Amino acid sequence: LAQVRAASAMESADEDEGWANVSREEWLRKLDCADLFESDIHNVVLNYLAVQGFQDAAEAFAAEAQLQPEVPLDSVGRRAAIRQSVLAGDVQGAISILQALDGSILLSFPEVHFRLRQQQLCKIIADVCCVDCRRRQIVSRGKWNEPSSLPDR
């Protein structure tokens, strides 16, 4: 295992080093030789708007640029709500949104369900550690005689 990690670290270091040695001028020269089409740039912009959760802007841009999005844009808002729930630590809220969209989606993608539950467990553990840490701080300050000063689990 250690050998695999070392080999992987060396490969990624080699890849990073290759990009670090490209000068600005060389990068711009290579960029001038690349064929960029307006449709490619439009697709990148539409993808960015969709991934970031800007549903209205993505719909307006797709109509203006006459693009057919790869994913239905009406799902952008739901995806953003799921992402916001996960980032806010409300994993159960994200699971609820997913189940409301499609009751079998988490059964179809067990690795997603596992990762969500794993994140939920990590949050619970962190919360318990915070409470325990707070209890230790209170006890170390000598306020342990007052039961109301100790947080509940």
Side-chain angles (χ1 to χ4, degrees):
L1 183 61
Q3 292 173 342
V4 170
R5 285 183 184 157
S8 175
M10 288 187 339
E11 286 175 11
S12 91
D14 290 343
E15 290 173 9
D16 291 343
E17 215 173 276
W19 281 104
N21 293 331
V22 175
S23 68
R24 183 176 190 274
E25 292 78 20
E26 184 178 354
W27 175 260
L28 292 174
R29 186 178 48 77
K30 288 183 179 185
L31 186 61
D32 284 338
C33 296
D35 291 330
L36 291 177
F37 300 101
E38 189 174 354
S39 62
D40 294 335
I41 295 171
H42 286 170
N43 284 321
V44 168
V45 170
L46 180 61
N47 184 37
Y48 173 81
L49 293 171
V51 168
Q52 295 301 318
F54 302 114
Q55 181 175 348
D56 295 337
E59 289 171 348
F61 184 77
E64 178 73 26
Q66 299 176 346
L67 295 173
Q68 291 297 325
E70 294 177 13
V71 296
L73 293 179
D74 61 345
S75 69
V76 171
R78 294 186 300 257
R79 289 178 180 201
I82 293 166
R83 183 177 62 239
Q84 283 302 107
S85 292
V86 170
L87 292 175
D90 183 16
V91 176
Q92 189 57 48
I95 291 172
S96 297
I97 295 169
L98 285 167
Q99 288 176 335
L101 291 173
D102 180 359
S104 65
I105 195 164
L106 292 176
L107 295 174
S108 300
F109 298 97
E111 66 277 1
V112 172
H113 192 223
F114 174 76
R115 294 291 182 187
L116 286 170
R117 292 297 187 188
Q118 185 180 36
Q119 187 165 353
Q120 191 174 31
L121 177 62
C122 289
K123 183 173 179 353
I124 291 168
I125 291 169
D127 289 347
V128 168
C129 289
C130 286
V131 169
D132 287 344
C133 182
R134 181 72 181 132
R135 283 176 176 242
R136 279 190 229 111
Q137 287 176 346
I138 290 170
V139 169
S140 69
R141 291 184 183 145
K143 294 183 179 181
W144 45 272
N145 289 331
E146 304 169 27
S148 64
S149 64
L150 293 176
D152 293 327
R153 276 194 186 228

